[in-house]
Amino acid sequence: MHRELVAHLGGDADAVILETPYGFQVNRDDISARAREYFRRSVGLTTVVAPDTPTGSISGDGDGARVRDMVRRAQWVFSGPGSPSYALSRWHTLRLGEILRERVARGHGVTVMASAAACTAGFAALPVYEVYKAGHPPAWLTGLDLLGALGLPVAVIPHYDNAEGGTHDTRFCYLGEPRLAALEQELPEGSAVLGIDEHTAVIVDLGTSLARVWGRGVMTIRRRGASVLVPGGTTLPLEQLRDLVAGTKPAVVPLPRRPADTDTDTDTDEGAGAARHAATAGTGGAATLQEAVAAAELRFDSAQGARDGGTMAEVAVELESVIAAWSADMEEDQGGDWARTVLHGMIRRLAQAAGRGLSEPEHTLGRILVPLLGLRRRLRADGAYDLADEVREALAAGGVRLHDTAEGSQWRWEEETDDQQTGSRSQE
């Protein structure tokens, strides 16, 4: 998505990253450096960072004027994770909100607001940290109202489908249903909540007056508890989106679909494996790091069952590339430790298989054991138990353990672990 937006600008775009939402964090320089490297490597965009000026600075000083000028002139502006309330406070002090509104109103360049910054884009903003982490009573803040210039009186809530809570409701950017239901009663008539799922973007093109939903999730327009869902891959006229927000048209509106293969990866061929997930993860595909790891595990297990050492090694190498690709995204580093644990497990399993020999025991022991167990069965039937025991001892010296039952002799290669006894067989 970022690559497509940058391509519209043409040539070397004047690109700025606003670090304000995370400007209070002690590791802000590291976050900015990672963001710059991500856009350089993955998007092909060279960026500069507009710093969060010192807390005591005033809007008329040199630093504030320099930041406002950077944002006013930039062809591309990005702001992302952090605290919505901190960003609003600082941008109000710097008078940067009016610069951002001016950019949107006149359709200048590309303005990208993600995560915490997206929370500030509506006329009402959600103080995520204060409500979810500090226990403050839910209340709206005054937002930047960037979308108001487009005729969209909305409160933007990113991470709308968040499920990190597991046992508790963290949808709606960690609000949960009860708090959102209470908050939306405070919104004025004719306005709405604009919810954007994770791994999803809403692109408003002022040149064509179209709104496009990109990615794996949906855009939700919610009014007094009633929701209209606009799925990824949909493009609709901006006027239609205004009607949905205002509630002036029926809630169920036919929404034209874009071709599915332009926004999402619809190829379900498992054989393409984790490499395809890595390729689509940064371009609006349906893959998450968790999904990519799960697909890699399935393919690895299948290859191990087929005794295909080459594919097992290929999957492990591809998964390492997937983890590296996701870790480069400053908002997709969660789950990296777990993914590496899975990768390390694959490598250990591959090493164990290599130590045993993937062709064992069926390709060698299996062929030998069939006639030997038949001989031993005949010896036992003839009462030659001493000779039958000698056969057992010879097999044990080769690592094969026998267990006699009423139904026949069962064997197991003793070097196998209890949960990988793929060579266990019975001989009637």
Side-chain angles (χ1 to χ4, degrees), residues 258-313:
R258 298 178 66 251
D261 59 359
T262 58
D263 271 6
T264 56
D265 182 4
T266 57
D267 186 348
T268 58
D269 178 11
E270 186 179 287
R276 180 190 300 116
H277 287 285
T280 60
T283 57
T288 64
L289 177 59
Q290 288 76 14
E291 290 170 347
V293 172
E297 285 189 287
L298 286 175
R299 191 177 173 212
F300 188 92
D301 291 344
S302 176
Q304 185 173 23
R307 305 184 184 283
D308 184 351
T311 298
M312 292 170 67

Side-chain angles (χ1 to χ4, degrees), residues 9 12-16 45-48 69-70 73-77:
L9 299 177
D12 294 328
D14 184 8
V16 172
L45 183 66
T46 301
T47 61
V48 296
D69 187 56
M70 290 174 65
R73 292 186 295 103
Q75 294 170 282
W76 181 94
V77 171

Side-chain angles (χ1 to χ4, degrees), residues 279-365:
T280 60
T283 57
T288 64
L289 177 59
Q290 288 76 14
E291 290 170 347
V293 172
E297 285 189 287
L298 286 175
R299 191 177 173 212
F300 188 92
D301 291 344
S302 176
Q304 185 173 23
R307 305 184 184 283
D308 184 351
T311 298
M312 292 170 67
E314 178 183 331
V315 172
V317 171
E318 290 174 349
L319 181 56
E320 192 280 331
S321 297
V322 170
I323 295 170
W326 280 96
S327 64
D329 188 330
M330 64 180 179
E331 286 204 272
E332 292 301 335
D333 55 355
Q334 292 186 4
D337 289 342
W338 163 76
R340 291 184 186 91
T341 299
V342 173
L343 174 60
H344 296 164
M346 288 182 179
I347 294 172
R348 284 192 292 271
R349 288 165 60 187
L350 181 58
Q352 290 169 358
R356 290 194 306 268
L358 281 169
S359 61
E360 299 291 357
E362 290 185 352
H363 291 179
T364 52
L365 285 178

Side-chain angles (χ1 to χ4, degrees), residues 226-244:
S227 297
V228 177
L229 308 183
V230 184
T234 300
T235 298
L236 68 160
L238 184 55
E239 188 60 36
Q240 188 176 26
L241 180 56
R242 293 187 184 111
D243 290 338
L244 292 173

Side-chain angles (χ1 to χ4, degrees), residues 188-211:
E189 189 65 32
S191 65
V193 167
L194 184 71
I196 305 172
D197 284 355
E198 296 180 339
H199 305 285
T200 308
V202 177
I203 303 171
V204 180
D205 187 336
L206 298 184
T208 61
S209 293
L210 294 174

